[in-house]
Amino acid sequence: MIQLKAHAKINLTLEVLGKRDDGYHNIVSVLQTIDLADELRFEPHPEIVVECDATNIQPEENLAHKAALAIREALQEERGAKITLTKRIPTAAGLGGGSSDAAATLVGLSRLWEQDLSPGDMGHVAQALGSDVSFFLVGSTALVEGRGEIVTPLPELGETWAVLATPPIELLNKTARLYGALAESDYTFGSATRGLVLALRGGRGLTPDQIFNAFESVAGGIFPGFAEYRDSLVDAGAPPVHLAGSGPTLFALTENAEEAAALRERWDVLGGAAQVVKTIATPYNRA
Ligand code: C5P
């Protein structure tokens, strides 16, 4: 049996450069894995079977299931596997949970079947599953370009604490709708991302003013009740509040664990499930 953790991510920057001919958008983004994680168990089984404790994910829509079918085909493998997925990352929340489950499934099944795909083929399978999946094969702190499939590792951001709050807003085709809501004026040239990359490569830490997310300006118009929820977090005395990926999760960075715990308590009384997280490096070397 193989056990892996599939970590969530936050985007420290997320810039959309423009629309492409294939309907996707070119982005530049600095992504960071955090210690919030789903757990996956892989066991021998004649068929591909996924058991998941989250009732709001349709079995055939589960990215772990799609990833299992894709890697089995790519490896021309005839064996199956039973995958038990314990969800801890809120779903469709901007934290990359489904994509991380997919990446962990690619790694877990390669190990279970003792078969390796070449890095290039693994990259193709990951990319076909979703734009964020390639990043999760690498994890830690990384620069992501293209539609998300070009991943360049960066020097690790030191231990950084944050508090997350996910408003209870579910929206069909959320990511496509957010991209679709962007106006030309929301496109940028990547300078926020380049600035952060230079700072990290130069051994300088992250400052809150380096955080940028192109979807901040359109999220309020897409997620019902989002602006009020965000205001209530800010009113509870938060440091700057940022959108996580395509949202609707919001996060604030804190100086240390104590500040994070205090902020979580203030946010908890708002009825949301606020949680303290910290940055974490590459996920798959640990069982
Ligand atoms: O790749 P993924 O399935 O996560 O993308 C969901 C949707 O988000 C795509 O169908 C596309 O509409 C949009 N998208 C985009 N540009 C990207 C990533 C996603 O337009 N770089």
Side-chain angles (χ1 to χ4, degrees), residues 6-261:
H7 289 268
K9 57 84 181 160
I10 51 177
N11 302 66
L12 300 176
T13 64
L14 172 47
E15 291 185 83
V16 179
L17 308 181
K19 194 162 183 191
R20 310 171 5 155
D21 291 341
D22 63 2
Y24 283 90
H25 292 75
N26 278 323
I27 63 163
V28 286
S29 178
V30 175
L31 288 171
Q32 172 66 53
T33 36
I34 55 176
D35 61 350
L36 173 65
D38 293 340
E39 282 177 25
L40 292 101
R41 216 170 59 212
F42 304 90
E43 296 165 89
H45 195 276
E47 314 280 335
I48 298 281
V49 180
V50 179
E51 278 183 9
C52 176
D53 61 348
T55 50
N56 61 341
I57 309 175
Q58 296 301 315
E60 63 280 4
E61 288 302 312
N62 193 316
L63 265 190
H65 190 247
K66 290 186 178 174
L69 297 178
I71 184 103
R72 186 168 72 162
E73 190 180 328
L75 289 169
Q76 298 184 314
E77 173 61 59
E78 293 191 344
R79 287 170 287 180
K82 179 177 165 197
I83 303 167
T84 310
L85 170 56
T86 307
K87 288 297 293 179
R88 303 230 160 72
I89 307 172
T91 53
L95 297 168
S99 302
S100 189
D101 295 342
T105 300
L106 300 181
V107 174
L109 290 183
S110 307
R111 288 191 193 166
L112 183 72
W113 294 328
E114 296 177 316
Q115 284 214 59
D116 270 336
L117 268 187
S118 71
D121 286 343
M122 188 67 124
H124 281 124
V125 173
Q127 191 185 334
L129 288 164
S131 302
D132 278 346
V133 179
S134 310
F135 161 72
F136 285 108
L137 291 173
V138 178
S140 201
T141 315
L143 168 68
V144 161
E145 297 168 278
R147 58 168 264 236
E149 81 285 14
I150 306 168
V151 184
T152 309
L154 292 170
E156 246 174 62
L157 184 70
E159 188 177 82
T160 302
W161 294 84
V163 187
L164 307 180
T166 305
I169 307 170
E170 282 186 34
L171 212 59
L172 215 58
N173 297 325
K174 173 200 66 162
T175 309
R177 287 174 69 173
L178 278 166
Y179 273 105
L182 293 174
E184 293 237 344
S185 55
D186 295 314
Y187 299 155
T188 49
F189 294 100
S191 56
T193 302
R194 272 196 301 278
L196 178 56
V197 167
L198 279 176
L200 292 171
R201 289 197 173 133
R204 297 186 293 283
L206 170 75
T207 56
D209 62 324
Q210 285 172 316
I211 297 179
F212 177 85
N213 186 329
F215 296 126
E216 296 261 3
S217 57
V218 293
I222 298 279
F223 295 114
F226 178 81
E228 294 76 8
Y229 188 88
R230 188 196 162 97
D231 287 349
S232 66
L233 297 183
V234 174
D235 291 346
V241 176
H242 311 283
L243 186 67
S246 59
T249 298
L250 292 153
F251 71 97
L253 298 179
T254 59
E255 287 291 326
N256 51 45
E258 292 71 35
E259 261 192 30

